[in-house]
């Protein structure tokens, strides 16, 4: 996000919301926009810098003005790609836009996606806003995680650095506390079960987890096994784990897919 790309960025959503036959969650396809989609559907967890403030201001202005179906003046942000945003602002490069109530204005996520497509945005984040339960799935992750036929037929690259949908406070607090403890103390994990699926004691409050608590000296070591291999390799794509996002290739080795479009935070 800079002077020549003055737009917000969204992380790739776990569903593409495209009406392509055979796509997962096809029933949730978004039909509120008939123009070209320049990115896969993004999750409404935006990031931005001050360079994107004109884009945000125009989007909010349009939403408010739509209540009265009026024409508004917006910045010609497409010109910033070649000339830079400062030139657009200093020269007052603007264009008219008819603001009227559209289907995509019903939710912030819908409107952000449409606004980015309309400006032909091309950058999104690889998925970092993961469901908290994924932190305890060990190796039991789909090879083609969150795939779709158009953008990510081999799955979406993900990085374990943050969580989404943490509405259950006790579960979230327990999980975060344990991850912090495992990261700080780094116990030996040589005795972890050699299974793909997580052991039953990884379920907080379960009978097996309570049995582990009865062995304080082994409790941390056992529970840290639940997060393997995320403590040392926290990036995953198409069945491969990486210890650093810079080591993730732009295309898979089998040569059956083009460059990934998402960036890592």
């Amino acid at each position: 996000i800079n002077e020549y790309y003055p737009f917000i960025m969204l992380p790739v959503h776990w569903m593409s919301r495209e009406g392509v036959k055979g796509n997962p969650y096809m029933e949730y396809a978004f039909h509120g926009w008939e123009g070209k989609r320049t990115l896969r559907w993004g999750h409404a967890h935006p990031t931005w810098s001050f360079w994107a403030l004109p884009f945000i201001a125009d989007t909010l202005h349009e939403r408010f003005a739509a209540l009265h179906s009026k024409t508004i003046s917006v910045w010609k942000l497409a010109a910033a790609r070649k000339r830079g945003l400062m030139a657009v602002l200093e020269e007052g490069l603007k264009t008219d836009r008819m603001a009227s109530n559209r289907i995509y204005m019903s939710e912030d996520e819908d409107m952000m996606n449409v606004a980015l497509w309309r400006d032909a945005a091309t950058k999104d984040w690889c998925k970092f806003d993961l469901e908290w339960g994924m932190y305890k799935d060990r190796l039991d992750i789909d090879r083609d995680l969150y795939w779709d036929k158009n953008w990510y037929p081999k799955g979406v690259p993900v990085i374990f650095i943050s969580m989404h949908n943490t509405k259950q406070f006790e579960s979230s607090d327990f999980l975060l506390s344990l991850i912090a403890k495992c990261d700080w103390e780094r116990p030996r994990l040589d005795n972890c079960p050699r299974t793909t699926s997580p052991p039953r004691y990884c379920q907080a409050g379960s009978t097996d987890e309570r049995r582990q608590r009865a062995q304080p000296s082994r409790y941390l070591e056992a529970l840290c096994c639940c997060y393997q291999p995320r403590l040392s390799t926290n990036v995953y794509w198409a069945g491969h784990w990486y210890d650093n996002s810079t080591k993730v290739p732009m295309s898979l080795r089998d040569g059956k897919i083009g460059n990934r479009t998402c960036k890592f935070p």
Side-chain angles (χ1 to χ4, degrees):
I1 303 172
N2 51 48
E3 184 178 0
Y4 296 90
Y5 190 86
F7 309 105
I8 63 174
M9 287 179 64
L10 306 177
V12 177
H13 202 286
W14 50 269
M15 57 181 175
S16 67
R17 300 202 67 185
E18 293 186 352
V20 178
K21 187 176 181 179
N23 261 2
Y25 307 104
M26 180 183 164
E27 61 271 25
Y28 295 107
F30 176 72
H31 300 292
W33 169 254
E34 297 180 354
K36 180 181 178 180
R37 300 190 183 198
T38 58
L39 292 166
R40 171 161 150 161
W41 187 268
H43 217 142
H45 301 145
T47 61
W48 66 87
S49 72
F50 59 88
W51 292 114
L53 290 178
F55 172 86
I56 296 172
D58 283 346
T59 304
L60 287 172
H61 186 193
E62 180 182 4
R63 182 64 187 87
F64 292 139
L67 296 173
H68 307 286
S69 295
K70 58 186 293 187
T71 299
I72 62 173
S73 181
V74 298
W75 295 105
K76 282 188 175 181
L77 297 180
R81 294 178 183 274
K82 290 185 177 181
R83 303 188 58 195
L85 181 62
M86 291 306 299
V88 172
L89 299 179
E90 290 171 355
E91 296 177 25
L93 301 181
K94 288 195 169 188
T95 186
D96 290 338
R97 177 182 298 165
M98 180 61 192
S100 58
N101 200 8
R102 306 287 182 86
I103 294 176
Y104 60 78
M105 293 183 177
S106 61
E107 293 188 15
D108 57 348
E109 184 168 285
D110 297 3
M111 191 161 188
M112 281 188 279
N113 276 278
V114 170
L116 288 170
W117 296 336
R118 186 170 54 197
D119 281 330
T122 56
K123 295 182 182 181
D124 52 11
W125 293 118
C126 297
K127 194 151 190 65
F128 62 81
D129 49 338
L130 304 176
E131 291 287 332
W132 62 272
M134 289 182 63
Y135 278 75
K136 299 192 299 180
D137 285 340
R138 293 200 82 210
L139 302 174
D140 191 18
I141 301 181
D142 292 338
R143 185 180 181 88
D144 55 356
L145 182 68
Y146 303 144
W147 72 277
D148 72 277
K149 290 186 175 182
N150 186 20
W151 303 98
Y152 295 98
K154 295 293 184 179
V156 173
V158 300
I159 181 169
F160 288 84
I161 57 173
S162 69
M163 300 177 190
H164 166 56
N165 195 24
T166 54
K167 301 178 179 70
Q168 300 177 4
F169 177 78
E170 291 185 358
S171 298
S172 302
D173 181 62
F174 178 85
L175 182 61
L176 289 171
S177 298
L178 192 56
I179 290 176
K181 192 76 170 174
C182 294
D183 184 63
W184 178 259
E185 298 199 10
R186 296 280 173 164
R188 294 179 62 86
L189 303 178
D190 300 336
N191 297 320
C192 290
R194 306 298 181 185
T195 58
T196 298
S197 300
R200 287 185 293 182
Y201 58 69
C202 292
Q203 180 62 44
S206 65
T207 300
D208 292 79
E209 191 264 331
R210 290 196 295 271
R211 286 175 182 158
Q212 291 293 335
R213 292 191 190 191
Q215 307 175 69
S217 61
R218 297 182 54 192
Y219 181 73
L220 183 64
E221 179 179 328
L223 268 291
C224 289
C225 290
C226 300
Y227 307 119
Q228 281 187 309
R230 293 155 185 77
L231 292 175
S232 57
T233 52
N234 69 338
V235 182
Y236 177 84
W237 187 27
H240 302 286
W241 290 89
Y242 305 89
D243 62 7
N244 191 305
S245 61
T246 61
K247 297 181 180 180
V248 183
M250 290 303 298
S251 60
L252 297 180
R253 297 173 185 172
D254 60 13
K256 297 179 181 179
I257 184 175
N259 290 350
R260 60 177 169 85
T261 59
C262 66
K263 315 293 182 184
F264 281 104

